[in-house]
């Protein structure tokens, strides 16, 4: 059970056999280099990449803060955390992003589409089970490909933040937005940050499919 103060907030558990996970691992080793080399990949994401970690994220943001301080500026930071992030990945949007933004076509695209679709979930309590329901969103919990697919799905967020001239760093579903405040132009800088947050909220609500 996830969440505090929620009566019923269950995260579906996916029962993937060993053969399935081996195939996922083999596929991951082939697709990672392609995804990471794409100009649409979010390079501000420290999770799910070799040689990137929470330490990397901390060092990067701390360095930016110190550089801002050295020039006589203060830093304003806002931390964003997506609720049930892995559960809300829309399959149709993810597949569209895989095709249009990361250039996955042919057999690779068909394999990923087959991997995501036609999955069902149900609730089991004791000897009772609910009617299986088709999953149209989310990546399988405990899967090998889930983290990479989540990163691909959220990569456009980085471009939105950059367009507003706001500094950023992400780790999994946590996003740090921060700006350096100069003594004379802090109003405009705060306005940029506010506009960025409003656009991110709108983006999430509308489920924009552009990559």
């Amino acid at each position: 059970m996830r969440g505090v103060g929620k009566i019923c907030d269950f995260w579906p558990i996916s029962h993937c056999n060993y053969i399935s996970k081996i195939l996922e691992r083999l596929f991951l080793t082939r697709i990672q280099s392609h995804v990471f080399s794409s100009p649409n990949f979010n390079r501000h994401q420290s999770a799910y990449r070799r040689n990137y970690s929470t330490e990397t994220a901390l060092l990067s943001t701390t360095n930016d803060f110190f550089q801002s301080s050295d020039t006589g500026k203060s830093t304003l930071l806002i931390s964003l955390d997506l609720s049930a992030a892995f559960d809300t990945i829309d399959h149709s949007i993810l597949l569209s992003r895989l095709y249009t933004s990361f250039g996955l076509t042919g057999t690779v695209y068909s394999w990923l589409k087959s991997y995501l679709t036609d999955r069902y979930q149900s609730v089991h309590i004791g000897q009772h089970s609910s009617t299986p329901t088709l999953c149209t969103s989310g990546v399988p919990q405990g899967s090998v490909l889930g983290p990479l697919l989540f990163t691909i799905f959220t990569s456009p967020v980085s471009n939105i933040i950059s367009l507003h001239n706001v500094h950023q760093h992400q780790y999994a579903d946590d996003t740090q937005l921060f700006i350096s405040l100069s003594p004379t132009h802090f109003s405009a800088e705060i306005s940029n940050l506010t506009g960025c947050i409003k656009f991110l909220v709108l983006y999430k609500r509308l489920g924009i499919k552009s990559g």
Side-chain angles (χ1 to χ4, degrees):
M1 182 176 292
R2 305 177 69 209
V4 177
K6 295 183 179 179
I7 298 176
C8 243
D9 185 10
F10 294 95
W11 191 9
I13 297 176
S14 181
H15 295 285
C16 299
N17 58 44
Y18 289 111
I19 297 299
S20 172
K21 290 194 173 185
I22 290 173
L23 289 174
E24 286 185 64
R25 184 71 62 183
L26 291 172
F27 185 84
L28 183 67
T29 59
R30 297 296 185 91
I31 194 177
Q32 271 184 327
S33 59
H34 173 81
V35 171
F36 292 161
S37 63
S38 170
N40 292 315
F41 177 74
N42 179 11
R43 306 193 183 282
H44 298 283
Q45 174 66 263
S46 283
Y48 318 127
R49 288 199 286 165
R50 186 182 296 276
N51 299 323
Y52 288 84
S53 63
T54 51
E55 182 179 357
T56 307
L58 181 60
L59 288 173
S60 177
T61 52
T62 302
N63 180 68
D64 288 338
F65 296 163
F66 284 157
Q67 286 185 336
S68 178
S69 179
D70 289 341
T71 60
K73 297 180 178 180
S74 56
T75 300
L76 174 62
L77 179 144
I78 292 180
S79 182
L80 305 178
D81 183 16
L82 295 175
S83 299
F86 282 75
D87 301 339
T88 56
I89 297 176
D90 185 283
H91 292 168
S92 61
I93 296 177
L94 174 58
L95 288 170
S96 174
R97 196 153 292 155
L98 288 167
Y99 183 85
T100 59
S101 299
F102 290 87
L104 298 179
T105 60
T107 303
V108 176
Y109 177 84
S110 298
W111 191 90
L112 282 169
K113 184 176 181 180
S114 174
Y115 172 82
L116 288 169
T117 56
D118 293 329
R119 290 181 180 272
Y120 289 80
Q121 68 181 32
S122 61
V123 177
H124 299 272
I125 301 178
Q127 300 298 317
H128 304 279
S129 300
S130 66
T131 303
T133 302
L134 180 66
C135 295
T136 58
S137 63
V139 291
Q141 179 191 9
S143 64
V144 176
L145 291 176
L148 180 65
L149 293 176
F150 171 80
T151 303
I152 290 173
F153 183 78
T154 58
S155 277
V157 170
S158 175
N159 295 330
I160 294 173
I161 298 172
S162 297
L163 288 174
H164 287 83
N165 296 317
V166 174
H167 297 290
Q168 61 182 299
H169 206 97
Q170 287 85 47
Y171 188 86
D173 57 344
D174 295 318
T175 301
Q176 309 294 329
L177 305 179
F178 53 96
I179 55 174
S180 298
L181 298 175
S182 62
T184 55
H185 299 92
F186 65 89
S187 295
E189 290 155 353
I190 292 177
S191 178
N192 284 342
L193 180 59
T194 303
C196 178
I197 295 172
K198 288 181 178 179
F199 199 96
L200 288 174
V201 172
L202 179 63
Y203 183 91
K204 188 175 186 298
R205 286 178 178 174
L206 296 180
I208 299 173
K209 294 189 178 183
S210 59

